[in-house]
Amino acid sequence: MNTLTILGIETSCDETAAAVVRGLPPGPGEILSNIVFSQAHAHAPYGGVVPEIASRAHLEILDGIVERALAEAQLSLSDIDAVAATAGPGLIGGVMVGLTTAKALALGAGKPLVAVNHLAGHALTARLTDGVIFPFLLLLVSGGHCQLLAVSGPDEFRLYGGTLDDAAGEAFDKTAKLLGLPYPGGPNVEARALLGNAKRYALPRPLLGRPTSEGHDMDFSFSGLKTAVRQLKETASLNVDDACASFQAAVIDILCDRVANACVRFRKDFPKLETPALVIAGGVAANRAIGTALRELARRQNFAIRIPPVRLCTDNAAMIAWAGLERFAAGAADPFAIGPRARWPLDGSGRGDGDQAQQAG
Ligand code: KG4
Ligand code: ZN
């Protein structure tokens, strides 16, 4: 098969993005362009993403972002094999803008349309960057999602565990807000944690070392931790650096405990693999302390860890173009009648966190 060249569009949260990617499964692929316009500054005053502001901003700038992506790749639409766009999950207004634009471009140029699950975009990024082969174990940690999955194909996901309440990134964002740090919270909490003492405040680690009441030992829970941070805030003379460090240490313990259980389960499900890949995806994968802890865990479990570079961990369109490329290479294209979906669980079971990105408030 000849290499495929795909235009990707991402508008499910507060990044307006377009990219052109070339390659063939299993990767690695070539990123010909990757334009990301962050609206973070527009949402920062509200401490979270405001859906109406997001969809209006997508609508205003997406055409220009797509033009730039094509120009930087030195291609025109006629050189593209298919147009891929995020069709969910996410903020419905934004997804609608991206998907409708993709349909118009595809229809005008006589090209196929490929609808992409945003989470599949995160999940498959390590194939774009490293050519990681199926099956692999995936920890997907973003603002709206916190899941452990076995990934066996571009459309084949087995959910091991999800979050019972907040996503990991959401916990970072809410903690930042409670502590008076600017949005988005993750990078700010990480920066302040570097200056602080992680042992200063004893924060809870919900579910650590034990299963949920349903017996799941790969599920996450962060709301108890958030409540503890809120109570901490009442403390006079609270040291924000120490609070950030203590919070981040608790998140690391929770993540490592659940991932260790998932490593054991993955080995049972795929006994023939000697050194399976553990892929970390989603915005929280940008956190260096979390990366270091998971690297050490992978070494102990004899898994080969893969963490894509930061700019491909957070929301972008190269991952959407690549996920579209994988589906298209497998023979998939979608009818123009396909609609946007606010919720769209990866494994179809409906279990796990189907949450959309966090909203203001
Ligand atoms: O994947 P992403 O860009 O958007 C979603 O699909 O949700 O992830 C954004 C999330 C935010 O919650 C942000 O606070 C978090 O990723 N994040 C981080 C860091 N960088 C981004 N969390 C912890 N540490 C970071 N360095
Ligand atoms: Zn995302």
Side-chain angles (χ1 to χ4, degrees), residues 118 122 142 315 319:
H118 177 85
H122 280 303
S142 71
D315 286 351
M319 71 179 192

Side-chain angles (χ1 to χ4, degrees), residues 258-313:
R258 312 281 105 179
V259 174
N261 293 342
C263 287
V264 173
R265 167 69 188 272
F266 188 88
R267 282 209 181 276
K268 271 197 200 124
D269 286 349
F270 305 97
K272 292 203 180 102
L273 300 175
E274 205 163 296
T275 313
L278 167 63
V279 173
I280 318 297
V284 180
N287 185 292
R288 288 205 186 83
I290 291 175
T292 303
L294 290 171
R295 263 177 231 287
E296 176 54 26
L297 172 78
R299 199 187 54 71
R300 285 199 306 272
Q301 297 279 348
N302 197 24
F303 273 64
I305 196 161
R306 293 279 178 274
I307 308 180
V310 173
R311 70 192 171 88
L312 297 175
C313 279

Side-chain angles (χ1 to χ4, degrees), residues 15 20 44 94 160 214 224 256 319:
E15 262 88 30
V20 180
Y160 282 173
E214 279 90 44
C256 286
M319 71 179 192

Side-chain angles (χ1 to χ4, degrees), residues 12-13 15 118 122 141-145 168-170 172-173 183-187 190 248 282-288 290 313-315 357-358:
S12 68
C13 192
E15 262 88 30
H118 177 85
H122 280 303
V141 269
S142 71
H145 301 274
E170 196 178 358
F172 269 95
D173 294 332
Y183 175 86
E190 180 181 14
Q248 188 170 276
V284 180
N287 185 292
R288 288 205 186 83
I290 291 175
C313 279
T314 49
D315 286 351
Q358 77 280 12

Side-chain angles (χ1 to χ4, degrees), residues 162-319:
T163 180
L164 304 180
D165 37 61
D166 293 345
E170 196 178 358
F172 269 95
D173 294 332
K174 287 180 176 169
T175 293
K177 197 173 179 184
L178 282 169
L179 297 176
L181 300 176
Y183 175 86
N188 288 301
V189 171
E190 180 181 14
R192 297 294 290 265
L194 278 177
L195 311 170
N197 173 6
K199 298 212 167 81
R200 172 80 179 273
Y201 302 114
L203 294 173
R205 273 101 168 123
L207 296 178
L208 196 80
R210 64 183 173 84
T212 63
S213 51
E214 279 90 44
H216 300 299
D217 70 351
M218 295 175 278
D219 282 342
F220 303 87
S221 170
F222 293 102
S223 73
L225 179 56
K226 182 187 62 195
T227 307
V229 173
R230 184 174 293 128
Q231 283 160 357
L232 206 58
K233 214 190 122 198
E234 321 279 288
T235 324
S237 76
L238 175 78
N239 181 301
V240 173
D241 295 343
D242 293 345
C244 287
S246 303
F247 164 81
Q248 188 170 276
V251 172
I252 288 173
D253 284 353
I254 295 167
L255 291 178
C256 286
D257 182 69
R258 312 281 105 179
V259 174
N261 293 342
C263 287
V264 173
R265 167 69 188 272
F266 188 88
R267 282 209 181 276
K268 271 197 200 124
D269 286 349
F270 305 97
K272 292 203 180 102
L273 300 175
E274 205 163 296
T275 313
L278 167 63
V279 173
I280 318 297
V284 180
N287 185 292
R288 288 205 186 83
I290 291 175
T292 303
L294 290 171
R295 263 177 231 287
E296 176 54 26
L297 172 78
R299 199 187 54 71
R300 285 199 306 272
Q301 297 279 348
N302 197 24
F303 273 64
I305 196 161
R306 293 279 178 274
I307 308 180
V310 173
R311 70 192 171 88
L312 297 175
C313 279
T314 49
D315 286 351
N316 67 87
M319 71 179 192

